[in-house]
Amino acid sequence: MTGTLLSLGHGYSAQALARRLLPQGWRIIGTTRSAQKATRLRAEGVEPLLWPCDLTPALAGATHLLSSIAPDEAGDPALAAHGTEIAAAPLAWAGYLSTTGVYGDHQGAWVDETTPLTPSTRRGLQRVQAEAAWQALNLPLHIFRIAGIYGPGRGPFERVRDGTARRILKPGQVFSRIHVDDIAQVLEASVTRPRPGAIYNLCDDDPAPPEDVIAHAATLLGLPLPPAIAYDKAEMTPMARSFYAESKRVRNDRIKTELGIRLIHPDYRAGLAALLRSETL
């Protein structure tokens, strides 16, 4: 199966998907705000479009659409600029990358795709509103609620090596996370086995305290454990602190039962080990 994927906001996760689809003969058109990034995307085989742009020609030829663009105070930028054209596009599949932040805080309890959406942050509320806006278009839509993303260039090793990593301690705090390779394989599986209206949580099998991940990274590197700092004493950006406002364990059963997914990196230990191996290749 091949087609033409229009990727709105062709970022980290979408690029990982492109690396799986391009060798199969897919045509991929990706939007970006950066001329420098556009040059790099072209070298990778993606047809870049500098945003903002006229999407009409791309939508006319697209069989699949993926949006990775985050909403803001004004709503979803893609829908604000091109909602009418997107709604009219003859798509076989559409995907929207959302976040598990839509579930809000559950004090470490488990959530799944049927859990009511009770976001406790502004970003989470914006995502809930954006999901609803995409659902209102009556597209063959699939929503992917993604946990904390890590992968090449987005791991803890650099901070551990340069001494800036810290183990922030907040009793009961747990996060779910997912390696970008697994995001890409879930998206590809959904394209292959579409279920319009489906919502999927994307996370690994092992929600864990963030300090455990940092400590394991240090152990893998053979370096001393980064200093432990109580959450209420730690200096953090407002963005970083907002992540600690919510604690939950996210279930991923649906990607396994409906899409046949077997995670490449089922927990952070496997994922970090793979990242470290890739650095030596």
Side-chain angles (χ1 to χ4, degrees), residues 33-271:
R33 292 182 180 274
S34 165
Q36 182 178 8
K37 183 177 175 182
T39 300
R40 187 177 79 248
L41 292 179
R42 187 175 290 108
E44 295 171 357
V46 174
E47 300 173 34
L49 290 177
L50 273 178
W51 185 275
C53 58
D54 178 10
L55 283 184
T56 304
L59 283 168
T63 57
H64 296 67
L65 181 144
L66 177 68
S67 179
S68 310
I69 299 176
D72 55 26
E73 295 289 350
D76 187 287
L79 297 186
H82 300 285
T84 301
E85 301 100 298
I86 291 171
L91 299 168
W93 179 95
Y96 177 69
L97 302 191
S98 186
T99 169
T100 56
V102 297
Y103 298 117
D105 179 34
H106 288 264
Q107 300 180 346
W110 287 97
V111 300
D112 63 21
E113 291 88 348
T114 67
T115 300
L117 307 185
T118 56
S120 58
T121 66
R122 181 181 304 171
R123 289 192 325 280
L125 177 59
Q126 290 170 353
R127 286 292 189 177
V128 171
Q129 295 168 339
E131 285 189 12
W134 277 94
Q135 288 170 323
L137 297 186
N138 198 32
L139 295 171
L141 183 69
H142 307 71
I143 292 175
F144 303 93
R145 294 174 178 158
I146 304 177
I149 302 171
Y150 72 103
R154 287 195 183 185
F157 293 127
E158 182 177 349
R159 288 180 292 127
V160 172
R161 287 181 175 119
D162 66 19
T164 60
R166 299 169 298 164
R167 290 178 293 139
I168 307 298
L169 306 182
K170 185 180 181 185
Q173 186 73 40
V174 290
F175 293 138
S176 290
R177 54 193 55 79
I178 186 166
H179 193 289
V180 71
D181 289 349
D182 281 312
I183 296 174
Q185 75 149 332
V186 171
L187 294 176
E188 182 185 11
S190 175
V191 166
T192 304
R193 302 167 66 173
R195 298 174 66 98
I199 297 173
Y200 297 108
N201 290 334
L202 274 61
C203 58
D204 68 20
D205 296 334
D206 187 18
E211 65 270 20
D212 289 4
V213 179
I214 294 293
H216 189 68
T219 299
L220 289 176
L221 293 172
L223 294 174
L225 293 183
I229 303 173
Y231 168 77
D232 56 1
K233 300 292 178 59
E235 293 184 7
M236 305 170 70
T237 65
M239 175 72 79
R241 192 168 292 277
S242 72
F243 286 112
Y244 280 80
E246 299 179 348
S247 176
K248 54 185 164 286
R249 292 173 167 85
V250 183
R251 295 195 184 279
N252 61 14
D253 305 74
R254 188 174 288 180
I255 60 172
K256 297 174 180 177
T257 57
E258 292 191 4
L259 298 177
I261 292 297
R262 181 176 180 180
L263 291 170
I264 303 167
H265 309 289
D267 56 45
Y268 70 86
R269 298 169 192 84

